[in-house]
Amino acid sequence: MIKVEKLSKSYGRKKILSNISFELEEGKIYGLVGENGAGKTTLFKCLTGIEKYQGDVKSNLEKLKNSSGFLPSEPYFFKKTTGREYIQLLTNARKIVIDNIEDKNIFNLPLDQYASTYSTGMKKKLALMAILFQKNDFFILDEPFNGVDIEGNILIEKILQKLKELNKTVIISSHIFTTLKTVCDEIIILEKGNLTKHIKRTDYSKLEHKMKNFNMGNQLEKLGLT
Amino acid sequence: MIYYYFKLQFKILRRKLIDFGLPFLPTSIVLPIIFSYISNNFLDNAKYDYAPHIYGVIALTIVSKLSKPERNGFLKSVFSKTDYLIIRVLENIVSSLPFVVFLLYKGLYIYAFSTYILSSLLVFLSFKTNFNLTLPTPFGKTPFEFTIGFRNTFLIFPIAYFLTYISISVNNFNLGIFSMLLTGAICMSYFSKTENRYHVWNFNLSPEQFLRYKTRTCFINFSILTLPIVITLSIFFINEIHIIMIFLVLCYAYLTLMIYAKYSDFPNHISLPQGLLIGISLVLPPLLLVLIPYFKSKSIKKLKNILE
């Protein structure tokens, strides 16, 4: 179990996250929803410990950082590093020996090609594969479906189901509600750095209805398109 | 639009200098003085007649950095064809201007004119390549410094090995030592850039263990590259083996210094003062005894923030 208590984060005077508390249980998949700039990526970076924060993140795992797999929304790849070397780097980092990467290459990526030449979706698949090979117990996935093709998205959904079966904890951010609706056990809503709602599966339809009917007002007119 | 582009470039340059720890105004005064001093020395004191050629090539190499396909693709997508050409010609001329002015000052009119014309013509050259070959390296099991570094500098190693061969052929021991130091200096450069925080965060190691891992990997990989030279020199200059060993130990010491310096201000890159300290230690090797522990303790402090 992962317990977040009164987590706050500021950059200078600007408060990004304010007193956030929630719990994540083993064997469950959580969705994190919020507008652009709501603080989702910052919250993820705080959970991993990449960013410093105020408050507490407790867990029953031996050391949360070393049991966490983080998929950033825009994974960074060194130039002139192949996909295979990227996987090797991330598995070496966790002292995991991995054999026959080729057999485990479920996304059929060109592993001996430089990762920097991959398309957006391929980069995401590679970064996801690397953290899966790390054999983590907790997965933080920032926009895992973005840029990935339809087959890839279906495969990612299957992977998430498998992780759930294996009693792993997963938290995902996504703007694609239909995917979250399918895979998540609960959805957490983040608004302007505040955790406003924790929605159970039974209330997903209400949330979907609310999202579809949001009032745009005269936003479009402000653009002055002619 | 063109005016705004150059205004933005000026702002970016200013920010880069400030990020590097250099105040803008004093730097814009000191930099031309340093440039003139180096150029003057290079063109006056160079022993060879082809110094102006090399000077021109240096200018064109700097200008060619502006011809990267991604950069030019972006500019083409944003600006009209005419504006794009004006921008590219202007920035190439501005970048080569210090060199052209100095060549004119030295009375090397043909070189100045050629540099000017070739810089402008570089606008029409794109360094885009479809050559997508992955260069194999012996370091694939322990990425990333040596895998990337080797791919960027692989041509240096045949040159270094050839110099070792020459040193034996003409019985010039110093040249042999130079070839060994060349590999050491190249490998040091692999640690000049800091990686993303994410890549360090992934390590399930304490700061001390992390530094040990990096140093051990570096020593093994450097040994693979330099041992052919060390063994060959040791066989052919057996009487000088103690000197070979001293320089080899120095190579390992400087590599250690470089690794520790790299993480001493993590996640920032090696700063100018740190660079200066490394530079001074190259002239004064005993300084290593102070700098290695100093950078190590700083690195451990910085790495604690991300690894613990």
Side-chain angles (χ1 to χ4, degrees):
Chain A
M1 192 178 70
I2 291 129
K3 198 171 180 182
V4 179
E5 287 179 338
K6 293 182 178 173
L7 189 150
S8 296
K9 171 75 190 171
S10 303
Y11 290 114
R13 284 183 184 176
K14 196 179 179 191
K15 197 143 203 168
I16 308 294
L17 299 171
S18 182
N19 265 328
I20 288 180
S21 300
F22 60 88
E23 278 184 26
L24 305 174
E25 290 171 31
E26 283 163 15
K28 277 194 171 183
I29 302 175
Y30 296 85
L32 184 67
V33 174
E35 288 178 3
N36 297 132
K40 300 185 295 293
T41 300
T42 308
L43 176 59
F44 283 165
K45 285 185 177 171
C46 291
L47 287 180
T48 59
I50 289 176
E51 289 286 353
K52 283 185 176 175
Y53 54 87
Q54 290 89 50
D56 264 328
V57 179
K58 294 174 184 166
S59 131
N60 57 354
L61 297 165
E62 199 181 324
K63 195 172 182 189
L64 185 62
K65 174 194 160 298
N66 296 334
S67 308
S68 305
F70 176 40
L71 175 73
S73 58
E74 287 174 25
Y76 176 82
F77 298 96
F78 299 108
K79 280 184 178 172
K80 294 190 182 172
T81 295
T82 64
R84 189 185 301 277
E85 287 163 357
Y86 179 79
I87 291 172
Q88 189 79 53
L89 176 73
L90 262 71
T91 48
N92 280 2
R94 296 289 170 91
K95 302 173 195 167
I96 304 273
V97 179
I98 178 159
D99 301 315
N100 307 322
I101 296 179
E102 214 59 68
D103 299 340
K104 295 168 185 163
N105 181 10
I106 53 164
F107 292 111
N108 294 319
L109 296 171
L111 293 177
D112 291 316
Q113 201 175 302
Y114 293 143
S116 53
T117 64
Y118 283 15
S119 68
T120 311
M122 286 159 83
K123 282 179 180 169
K124 203 129 241 186
K125 289 171 182 176
L126 176 67
L128 177 64
M129 265 196 351
I131 60 165
L132 290 171
F133 291 152
Q134 287 181 327
K135 298 179 180 168
N136 294 297
D137 290 313
F138 177 38
F139 288 90
I140 302 164
L141 312 178
D142 199 353
E143 304 283 359
F145 306 104
N146 265 18
V148 178
D149 52 35
I150 295 168
E151 291 83 357
N153 271 331
I154 294 169
L155 200 47
I156 294 174
E157 280 184 29
K158 301 266 181 215
I159 291 168
L160 292 172
Q161 293 300 342
K162 184 72 188 170
L163 291 174
K164 185 181 154 96
E165 280 169 36
L166 293 168
N167 215 29
K168 313 277 185 187
T169 309
V170 184
I171 182 163
I172 312 166
S173 80
S174 177
H175 294 287
I176 310 165
F177 188 74
T178 43
T179 317
L180 290 180
K181 198 169 78 174
T182 318
V183 297
C184 294
D185 296 297
E186 287 178 33
I187 291 177
I188 299 164
I189 312 276
L190 197 63
E191 281 178 321
K192 291 176 184 164
N194 292 288
L195 204 156
T196 51
K197 282 182 200 111
H198 212 114
I199 294 166
K200 304 269 182 198
R201 188 174 275 278
T202 44
D203 292 326
Y204 282 179
S205 51
K206 279 185 200 165
L207 177 66
E208 191 175 16
H209 185 74
K210 196 184 164 193
M211 283 172 132
K212 280 180 181 168
N213 290 318
F214 96 104
N215 188 4
M216 271 186 60
N218 66 342
Q219 295 285 66
L220 200 59
E221 278 70 41
K222 285 181 186 172
L223 267 178
L225 296 175
T226 51
Chain B
M1 224 172 154
I2 295 172
Y3 169 72
Y4 183 74
Y5 172 78
F6 281 105
K7 201 174 155 188
L8 188 63
Q9 293 303 310
F10 179 71
K11 273 187 188 171
I12 294 169
L13 177 71
R14 208 174 143 146
R15 283 171 191 157
K16 277 185 180 172
L17 285 175
I18 292 166
D19 284 352
F20 196 61
L22 297 170
F24 181 71
L25 212 68
T27 309
S28 48
I29 297 165
V30 173
L31 217 58
I33 297 170
I34 296 172
F35 176 79
S36 307
Y37 176 76
I38 295 171
S39 298
N40 204 34
N41 271 313
F42 183 78
L43 291 171
D44 283 353
N45 302 334
K47 289 174 188 171
Y48 309 105
D49 292 338
Y50 47 79
H53 290 90
I54 298 172
Y55 192 75
V57 169
I58 293 170
L60 292 174
T61 309
I62 291 168
V63 173
S64 71
K65 299 277 177 201
L66 299 168
S67 296
K68 286 183 179 170
E70 299 85 10
R71 185 177 184 278
N72 284 284
F74 170 72
L75 291 178
K76 276 180 189 168
S77 70
V78 173
F79 295 101
S80 70
K81 204 173 177 180
T82 324
D83 285 356
Y84 166 76
L85 278 175
I86 294 170
I87 284 172
R88 288 291 294 109
V89 170
L90 276 176
E91 58 184 12
N92 277 15
I93 289 173
V94 169
S95 309
S96 66
L97 203 61
F99 295 89
V100 173
V101 168
F102 210 84
L103 286 165
L104 285 173
Y105 165 70
K106 285 281 164 191
L108 299 160
Y109 301 115
I110 294 172
Y111 292 102
F113 183 70
S114 311
T115 307
Y116 174 77
I117 293 294
L118 288 171
S119 300
S120 312
L121 288 176
L122 274 178
V123 169
F124 301 101
L125 273 187
S126 170
F127 296 106
K128 192 176 179 178
T129 172
N130 291 321
F131 188 65
N132 221 353
L133 182 76
T134 305
L135 193 76
T137 85
F139 314 115
K141 290 280 173 195
T142 50
F144 66 94
E145 287 92 346
F146 274 76
T147 46
I148 299 171
F150 182 78
R151 284 177 179 134
N152 284 331
T153 59
F154 69 97
L155 284 173
I156 299 286
F157 297 100
I159 294 171
Y161 299 148
F162 184 67
L163 286 178
T164 313
Y165 165 75
I166 299 279
S167 78
I168 293 159
S169 315
V170 299
N171 199 27
N172 184 338
F173 176 67
N174 290 343
L175 186 62
I177 289 293
F178 172 77
S179 67
M180 188 174 93
L181 295 181
L182 181 64
T183 57
I186 292 299
C187 293
M188 270 178 81
S189 74
Y190 299 170
F191 294 89
S192 58
K193 278 196 175 174
T194 310
E195 65 262 48
N196 193 291
R197 282 169 75 92
Y198 176 74
H199 294 114
V200 175
W201 169 83
N202 261 289
F203 277 84
N204 180 8
L205 297 171
S206 68
E208 291 86 352
Q209 288 170 329
F210 178 80
L211 289 175
R212 262 203 300 280
Y213 169 78
K214 286 280 174 185
T215 317
R216 192 179 63 235
T217 308
C218 169
F219 279 14
I220 295 168
N221 293 345
F222 170 66
S223 301
I224 292 171
L225 291 170
T226 204
L227 276 183
I229 297 175
V230 174
I231 293 168
T232 315
L233 289 179
S234 303
I235 294 168
F236 288 93
F237 297 99
I238 188 83
N239 293 332
E240 317 282 356
I241 198 159
H242 58 289
I243 298 175
I244 299 169
M245 288 305 128
I246 288 170
F247 277 107
L248 184 64
V249 169
L250 275 175
C251 282
Y252 287 121
Y254 279 112
L255 285 166
T256 310
L257 176 77
M258 201 65 192
I259 294 168
Y260 291 169
K262 176 182 165 180
Y263 295 105
S264 63
D265 199 20
F266 186 80
N268 300 320
H269 293 297
I270 292 176
S271 64
L272 190 68
Q274 287 169 323
L276 280 174
L277 283 175
I278 296 168
I280 295 167
S281 76
L282 289 169
V283 188
L284 284 171
L287 208 58
L288 285 170
L289 298 170
V290 181
L291 287 183
I292 289 177
Y294 168 71
F295 281 136
K296 186 182 179 183
S297 80
K298 281 195 83 179
S299 295
I300 289 171
K301 266 186 206 162
K302 289 285 176 183
L303 288 168
K304 264 185 187 164
N305 293 331
I306 194 94
L307 286 172
E308 286 185 351

